[in-house]
Amino acid sequence: MFRNQYDTDVTVWSPQGRLHQVEYAMEAVKQGSACLGLRSKNHVVLCALKRSPNELASYQEKILKIDDHMSIAIAGLTADARKLAKYMRTECMNHKYIYDTPIQ
């Protein structure tokens, strides 16, 4: 998509009445792959579809480990998810350091 002066923020409307940031987010969702999480009383299962964006690209990791007892599955763009995963890992380490127990 072509970037212009109306895509600097989510609340900036173009003269045509469009929110470009929302359209960019919808396009990112289309480029993502499916993820599924199932939870029972005793178990959790995370599944992710391995799909390469094109023939020359390799598969990207879709399930990231946060802590010994916590993982996340990525359904959108991996760069955004990696940033969130790094933040979550930092929060888990801080909680473990301060309270001497893993985050729940």
Side-chain angles (χ1 to χ4, degrees):
M1 287 185 147
F2 179 72
R3 297 187 69 89
N4 58 41
Q5 65 183 352
Y6 300 107
D7 63 356
T8 57
D9 195 12
V10 178
T11 59
V12 177
W13 293 83
S14 72
Q16 295 84 22
R18 297 168 52 192
L19 288 170
H20 290 282
Q21 288 291 332
V22 173
E23 291 178 8
Y24 295 152
M26 290 174 16
E27 188 64 31
V29 169
K30 288 179 189 175
Q31 293 177 9
S33 60
C35 291
L36 175 69
L38 301 172
R39 180 182 76 145
S40 71
K41 279 188 162 186
N42 301 320
H43 300 86
V44 173
V45 177
L46 289 176
C47 302
L49 178 66
K50 283 175 71 173
R51 183 177 78 177
S52 61
N54 58 40
E55 294 176 7
L56 299 176
S58 64
Y59 296 112
Q60 295 180 340
E61 195 70 31
K62 292 292 194 176
I63 298 177
L64 302 174
K65 182 177 178 181
I66 303 299
D67 203 3
D68 293 334
H69 66 290
M70 190 182 312
S71 295
I72 60 171
I74 304 167
L77 297 177
T78 56
D80 296 338
R82 285 193 182 116
K83 179 79 173 170
L84 289 172
K86 184 178 179 181
Y87 173 77
M88 292 171 71
R89 287 180 186 127
T90 305
E91 289 298 312
C92 284
M93 285 189 297
N94 288 339
H95 188 276
K96 196 179 287 188
Y97 179 75
I98 293 170
Y99 300 107
D100 202 28
T101 61
I103 197 167
Q104 300 264 330

